[in-house]
Structure formats: C-alpha cells, structure tokens
Amino acid sequence: MTATPDLGAPRLATADLLRSVFRRHASGVAVITAGGEAGPVGFTATSLTSVSAAPPLLSFGIGTGSSSWPTVSETEYVGVHILGDHQEELAATFARSGADRFGPPTAWREGPRGVPVLSGVLAWLVCRVVGRVPAGDHRIVIAEVLLGDPTGTGSPLLYHQGRFSGLRE
C-alpha cells in the first residue's frame, strides 16, 4: 500500500530532507578503487549508474572531502566492484573513515592498469576516467568501461534505510 502524499505539509529542501527521501530508495552497493602514489584507495558507493552502452560509460559520485578524492581526482583508471550479499563487512570497511581498507581480511590483487581488484565480488570492471563534473560538495565521475568480469556468483548487496541487506525471495 502506498501513502497518500500530504501536500499540506511539505518540507523545505535541506540535506536532511534529501537523505530522508533517499533512505527509502534501495540501491546496489559497489566499491570503487584506484591505485595511487601512496598506495591503493577505495570507497563504498551507492551512486553507481550506467550512462551509455555505446560507448560503454558509467558514473558514480564521490565527496570532495573523501580520503579517496585526491587520488580519484588525478587517476586515469578506476576499478568498479559490484558487491554480493555475503560482503556486508567489506562494504562497511570501505565506508568507514580511517579504516585500513586494503589490509586483512580484504582480499585483492593489482589488476589491469594498476587498478586494485577485489576478490569474491559479483562483477568487476576496469574503467578509464573521461570526466569529473562538479556537483555541490561532490564530483560525478564519468568513466569508460575497458574490461571486466561479470561471472561472480550470488545475490547483490543492497543499501536501504541506512543499512546493508540482501534481496528477499
């Protein structure tokens, strides 16, 4: 059953309103990685979007205050990893500020173009960054897919109402 909108009590646009509305929007969970001078960086993203099939393009958002932003702002290549519902702790690690994201128990290897590739994911891509678009306190990164592997097994990890979960059958 859907709620009838209460048009008599709309709230003014604020960061809290935006967060409250998007907590109701379930999204898939990805980890974006990049290789940098000081070592690999990565972060959890729920803003991953397919942009174009020809050429194959995708986008994701990243906050300019993120510890990963300095590397992502300069790198030519990024890794995009689609997480499975068995990887809730991995998603939390890459979302946590100050975490040792690439230390144990994270399993990864250096992949094509020097991009860190995470193990056990549902799918991964290596992409070339083709644009960084300013968007408030974030940047929208547009990247061209170069290669990848869609053969991981399992169900996707979702983010909804401020927590990770899997699909219900």
Side-chain angles (χ1 to χ4, degrees):
M1 173 167 251
T2 59
T4 303
D6 181 359
L7 299 179
R11 294 170 48 188
L12 292 177
T14 64
D16 286 340
L17 173 63
L18 185 66
R19 281 191 287 273
S20 293
V21 168
F22 272 88
R23 277 189 196 107
R24 296 182 171 274
H25 174 68
S27 59
V29 180
V31 168
I32 310 299
T33 61
E37 297 276 329
V41 300
F43 63 96
T44 299
T46 57
S47 61
L48 182 64
T49 304
S50 172
V51 173
S52 168
L57 298 173
L58 58 80
S59 71
F60 59 86
I62 179 173
T64 56
S66 163
S67 61
S68 297
W69 172 242
T71 299
V72 173
S73 73
E74 296 179 357
T75 193
E76 188 173 355
Y77 301 100
V78 294
V80 176
H81 307 81
I82 307 300
L83 300 191
D85 60 7
H86 63 286
Q87 296 179 303
E88 187 173 323
E89 187 53 42
L90 183 67
T93 297
F94 276 83
R96 194 170 23 252
S97 180
D100 182 3
R101 296 173 178 154
F102 290 91
T106 301
W108 67 282
R109 66 189 184 287
E110 185 174 315
R113 312 290 174 132
V115 170
V117 175
L118 302 175
S119 299
V121 297
L122 297 185
W124 60 268
L125 300 166
V126 171
C127 305
R128 182 176 60 85
V129 175
V130 296
R132 295 173 185 88
V133 181
D137 61 356
H138 278 62
R139 295 297 180 268
I140 306 302
V141 177
I142 301 169
E144 180 179 15
V145 175
L146 301 177
L147 57 98
D149 182 357
T151 62
T153 60
S155 295
L157 182 63
L158 301 177
Y159 188 72
H160 181 248
Q161 293 287 37
R163 61 182 205 265
F164 299 111
S165 64
L167 291 174
R168 285 189 245 167
E169 302 268 337

